[in-house]
């Protein structure tokens, strides 16, 4: 009986610690978003300035911005080494894929190291074409 209580308390402690870590991460992300939003709206930050969260922070429905500042698509989802763009935002109504190694930084948007012309001329028809990252 005592072992069962001890295990239940340990499990509860682990659950609380995990929830606290998750909440802390969400609060930090929200604070970074708020800072980036204020910088963008007040003009206090360089347009290329933002908290880079890395490619692991790419989420569905994020805008994808070329190095020239033009929006080239919206993230449908990440598929291996590729970002699949939604077909609704595509000029030809098709899904296109962008290798993740084209990403310069990730903040509230995905910012590419290539300009819109380079991106649109070289995006890929499927995720497997992005494995080489060219």
């Amino acid at each position: 009986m005592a072992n069962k209580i001890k295990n239940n308390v340990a499990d509860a402690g682990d659950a609380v610690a995990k929830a606290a870590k998750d909440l802390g991460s969400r609060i930090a992300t929200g604070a970074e978003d708020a800072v980036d939003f204020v910088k963008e709206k007040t003009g206090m930050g360089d347009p290329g300035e933002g908290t880079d969260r890395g490619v692991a922070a790419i989420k569905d429905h994020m805008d994808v911005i070329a190095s020239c500042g033009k929006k080239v698509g919206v993230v449908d989802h990440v598929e291996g080494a590729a970002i699949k763009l939604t077909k609704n935002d595509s000029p030809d109504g098709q899904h296109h894929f962008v290798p993740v190694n084209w990403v310069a930084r990730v903040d509230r948007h995905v910012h590419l190291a290539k300009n819109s012309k380079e991106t649109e001329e070289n995006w890929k028809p499927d995720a497997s074409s992005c494995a080489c990252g060219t």
Side-chain angles (χ1 to χ4, degrees):
M1 177 82 167
N3 280 339
K4 185 176 180 181
I5 292 171
K6 182 179 176 182
N7 289 338
N8 287 343
V9 169
D11 290 345
D14 290 342
V16 168
K18 183 180 179 211
K21 182 178 179 181
D22 181 55
L23 180 60
S25 176
R26 288 192 289 158
I27 288 170
T29 299
E32 290 169 355
D33 283 345
V35 167
D36 293 343
F37 177 82
V38 169
K39 284 181 178 180
E40 179 183 321
K41 296 302 177 191
T42 61
M44 290 176 62
D46 171 348
E49 188 177 303
T51 306
D52 184 9
R53 299 185 190 139
V55 295
I58 298 172
K59 304 289 183 222
D60 299 355
H61 312 294
M62 291 177 96
D63 287 339
V64 179
I65 311 296
S67 63
C68 60
K70 179 182 175 190
K71 177 180 166 182
V72 293
V74 175
V75 175
D76 187 317
H77 64 273
V78 176
E79 197 170 304
I83 301 168
K84 182 178 185 179
L85 304 177
T86 62
K87 62 183 177 182
N88 294 347
D89 295 289
S90 171
D92 61 2
Q94 300 295 313
H95 286 288
H96 297 283
F97 294 80
V98 176
V100 294
N101 69 355
W102 291 6
V103 174
R105 66 185 169 80
V106 178
D107 50 27
R108 292 175 45 230
H109 310 292
V110 177
H111 298 271
L112 301 178
K114 295 185 180 284
N115 67 36
S116 61
K117 183 178 179 189
E118 290 175 295
T119 300
E120 292 171 1
E121 288 177 351
N122 295 297
W123 52 25
K124 310 298 182 189
D126 54 50
S128 62
S129 300
C130 295
C132 61
T134 62

